[in-house]
Amino acid sequence: MIESYLLKNISGYIDGQWVDADSGRTVEVLNPANGKTLAEIPYMAADETARAIAAAKAALPSMPDVATRREWLEDTRDALIAEKEEIGRILCLEHGKPWKEAQGEVEYAASFFDYFAKSMEDGLAPEELADKVKDCTWTVYKRAIGVAGLITPWNFPIGMIAKKIAPAIAAGCPVVIKPATETPLTMIAMFQIMHDRLDLPKGVINLVMGSSKEIGGELMSSPDVPMISFTGSTGVGQLLIEQSRQHVKKLGLELGGNAPFIVLDDADLDSAADNLIANKFRGCGQTCVCANRIFVHSNVYKEFTDKVVEKVKALKVGDGMDEDVDIGPLVNAAGFDKVHDHVKDALSKGATLVAGKHPDELDSDKNLFYPPTVITDVTHDMLCCQEETFGPLIPMIAFDTDEQAVQQGNDTEFGLASYVFGKDAKRAHKIIAQLHFGHCGYNTATGPAAHAPFGGMLHSGIGREGGHDGLLEYVELQTVPDGS
Ligand code: NAD
């Protein structure tokens, strides 16, 4: 069992109180590196969620002014940085990602509190329109939308909630949060910090965990939650779209990806290979922005593949708590089996294994460590091109013309992240302009940052997180023509 001074209460948090499930039911949180139980969390359902919504609704009319809310964000930022090591340790244990990545994720989370603390005053200021029309001056106000329901995945246990809770509080919205059942402990630690260090009125922040279906159902059916921000799979996102119909809820959806990584024949191949390794194996390949399909110009296909394979063979797989480990375990057996299936499918359809182990040697019953794997001779009919693998697999696909790179890169209903590497900026930007992805790194495979809007096109989502647009997700615009 995990011991931590930030986990004094392994509970939900409703109306300023630490609470267990009404039913007394619990569910285990496991360490994916060794399968051992870290904690038992309450398995909450609809009734607890309804109470959390009621508490948040009651807190709404007395949300304090911008200055106080800014202080909450600044204090949370400072506390996260001060407690980086302990929060990172909890994150590493429940998710499995390497120690240094876990520490980096806490810093990343803090950067969202920092950005919204600094930008909220300007971001929320009313805008007086320049033109006097119909004998009126026109002012656009940004009003807090109300109680926000925030649902997060397991792959960034603190990064994903920071992107939501910081702008929600900045805008003046009380929140009801549902973390993923695989990784709730980091979130509980964040709540403990906010409970201890901020002078928050009751009901401003609420945490419920347990039954996804019941908690999600209550958030979606309540008329008192006008806005839902969800990060997770496209399938659940589509369900939320259907469920939002009755109360015409505003939805922010950050969904799945299938990122193309395009290497042109004039690219700096060493830099492209380093970027690919860093991007692909972060979180053991379990990130929405990680390269899923690697398109390499046929003139440099062999040279680039050799460079990547050499780097992959030097990576160390193991328990993320060991400081020299580069890649941890997959989060659960289902995640392992998906990678396994993708590799088996590709090999059966003619792909060649050039790094990693043959699938016959691997089994999720033994452990959840999947070796970083590279396959060549990949074609688009293979599962690893059709779906997000969400694991440490690099499939290499050759192309001959820029038109082919665009056509194949766009041959997916997803539209989240993409990357283009090549020295000729004009040529690369011509390709970028044709890619239907909300994020496109040019000569970098870096992911999102707090000051910039990030989000998906097509089946990858609706709305943006980060930047000014990320704040606007939590406000309603009210236009006031003034004829006086
Ligand atoms: P998931 O959709 O299974 O779960 C996400 C969250 O939704 C969890 O908290 C889960 O408990 C909850 N949930 C499940 N069913 C629900 C329901 N019926 N109603 C309400 N909530 C429900 O996704 P996951 O496996 O946790 O995360 C991986 C997915 O998230 C991948 O597809 C990945 O690409 C995506 N993701 C996207 C982004 C982005 O920014 N676009 C970021 C991270 C992850």
Side-chain angles (χ1 to χ4, degrees):
M1 290 290 216
I2 193 167
E3 293 287 331
S4 170
Y5 59 91
L6 293 179
L7 295 173
K8 288 179 278 191
N9 302 284
I10 299 194
S11 314
Y13 187 82
I14 298 174
D15 204 17
Q17 305 289 323
W18 294 99
V19 285
D20 289 327
D22 293 355
S23 64
R25 260 185 86 184
T26 58
V27 59
E28 287 184 328
V29 180
L30 303 178
N31 179 342
N34 55 27
K36 290 192 180 148
T37 303
L38 288 171
E40 293 200 356
I41 58 160
Y43 191 80
M44 296 173 155
D47 287 350
E48 297 90 330
T49 311
R51 289 204 296 280
I53 294 169
K57 186 184 176 192
L60 183 61
S62 46
M63 281 296 276
D65 61 8
V66 167
T68 305
R69 303 201 308 271
R70 183 171 50 231
E71 261 174 47
W72 292 346
L73 297 186
E74 289 167 347
D75 290 351
T76 308
R77 170 199 64 199
D78 295 346
L80 292 182
I81 294 297
E83 297 293 354
K84 181 176 78 167
E85 197 157 317
E86 184 60 2
I87 304 170
R89 187 179 75 86
I90 296 167
L91 203 166
C92 181
L93 285 168
E94 68 175 348
H95 179 284
K97 67 177 65 178
W99 176 264
K100 50 184 182 283
E101 275 186 36
Q103 302 286 317
E105 187 182 330
V106 183
E107 283 176 20
Y108 178 67
S111 75
F112 282 86
F113 288 93
D114 182 61
Y115 170 77
F116 286 108
K118 287 182 176 142
S119 63
M120 61 191 280
E121 193 149 4
D122 285 348
L124 294 171
E127 184 192 356
E128 194 170 312
L129 304 184
D131 293 337
K132 200 165 178 182
V133 173
K134 296 186 183 176
D135 283 337
C136 296
T137 56
W138 295 68
T139 308
V140 182
Y141 291 89
K142 290 156 193 149
R143 312 291 190 199
I145 191 164
V147 175
L150 312 180
I151 306 174
T152 55
W154 48 263
N155 64 343
F156 288 95
I158 194 161
M160 292 298 139
I161 191 58
K163 296 175 167 204
K164 301 183 190 302
I165 191 173
I169 288 182
C173 300
V175 296
V176 177
I177 298 174
K178 190 224 161 286
T181 310
E182 292 86 348
T183 58
L185 301 175
T186 312
M187 187 95 77
I188 294 174
M190 187 185 86
F191 264 70
Q192 186 70 55
I193 285 174
M194 295 176 90
H195 172 84
D196 289 344
R197 306 195 189 186
L198 311 183
D199 195 14
L200 282 177
K202 286 178 183 178
V204 172
I205 59 170
N206 301 275
L207 178 64
V208 285
M209 59 196 83
S211 166
S212 301
K213 205 172 154 205
E214 288 213 25
I215 296 170
E218 190 64 29
L219 286 169
M220 297 310 293
S221 63
S222 171
D224 296 326
V225 183
M227 195 273 175
I228 296 284
S229 176
F230 167 83
T231 301
S233 59
T234 295
V236 174
Q238 286 166 328
L239 175 72
L240 300 183
I241 291 172
E242 283 163 25
Q243 292 177 334
S244 67
R245 186 173 153 265
Q246 186 190 1
H247 296 296
V248 195
K249 283 182 200 281
K250 183 172 181 181
L251 292 179
L253 300 177
E254 297 290 335
L255 308 177
N258 184 356
F261 187 104
I262 298 171
V263 182
L264 301 170
D265 51 357
D266 64 343
D268 175 336
L269 298 185
D270 288 308
S271 167
D274 284 338
N275 271 278
L276 177 60
I277 299 291
N279 164 284
K280 179 71 230 188
F281 297 119
R282 195 153 57 99
C284 195
Q286 301 168 113
T287 77
C288 55
V289 293
C290 76
N292 202 54
R293 298 166 295 146
I294 322 307
F295 297 103
V296 188
H297 196 285
S298 49
N299 289 346
V300 293
Y301 185 81
K302 165 104 182 47
E303 192 184 348
F304 183 69
T305 303
D306 289 347
K307 284 181 191 291
V308 169
V309 167
E310 194 187 324
K311 289 175 195 294
V312 163
K313 287 187 172 161
L315 294 170
K316 186 170 173 201
V317 180
D319 186 333
M321 290 295 283
D322 298 339
E323 277 205 42
D324 60 342
V325 156
D326 301 300
I327 303 181
L330 286 153
V331 77
N332 54 29
F336 184 104
D337 292 344
K338 187 172 189 193
V339 186
H340 204 214
D341 288 348
H342 280 197
V343 178
K344 279 193 285 188
D345 171 77
L347 298 186
S348 75
K349 289 176 179 158
T352 310
L353 182 72
V354 291
K357 288 190 179 160
H358 193 277
D360 291 350
E361 295 178 60
L362 297 164
D363 187 344
S364 58
D365 283 346
K366 288 189 199 146
N367 60 57
L368 298 177
F369 296 103
Y370 205 100
T373 302
V374 183
I375 51 176
T376 55
D377 306 314
V378 172
T379 51
H380 218 257
D381 56 324
M382 296 174 185
L383 278 180
C384 60
C385 288
Q386 302 291 322
E387 299 174 3
E388 186 181 33
T389 300
F390 236 51
L393 172 64
I394 293 185
M396 296 283 194
I397 306 147
F399 70 87
D400 291 316
T401 65
D402 293 2
E403 291 71 27
Q404 272 177 5
V406 171
Q407 185 271 323
Q408 294 180 21
N410 277 342
D411 192 7
T412 169
E413 70 270 27
F414 294 102
L416 192 60
S418 57
Y419 309 94
V420 176
F421 285 77
K423 287 193 183 129
D424 180 345
K426 204 169 158 201
R427 175 185 176 197
H429 277 284
K430 191 173 166 200
I431 292 173
I432 289 168
Q434 297 174 78
L435 292 173
H436 59 54
F437 294 81
H439 178 97
C440 188
Y442 173 44
N443 287 335
T444 176
T446 194
H451 73 300
F454 174 80
M457 299 183 186
L458 306 173
H459 288 207
S460 289
I462 300 172
R464 294 292 181 266
E465 290 191 323
H468 179 59
D469 301 82
L471 180 65
L472 293 184
E473 298 279 319
Y474 297 88
V475 301
E476 286 282 26
L477 301 182
Q478 185 182 47
T479 305
V480 180
D482 184 343
S484 55

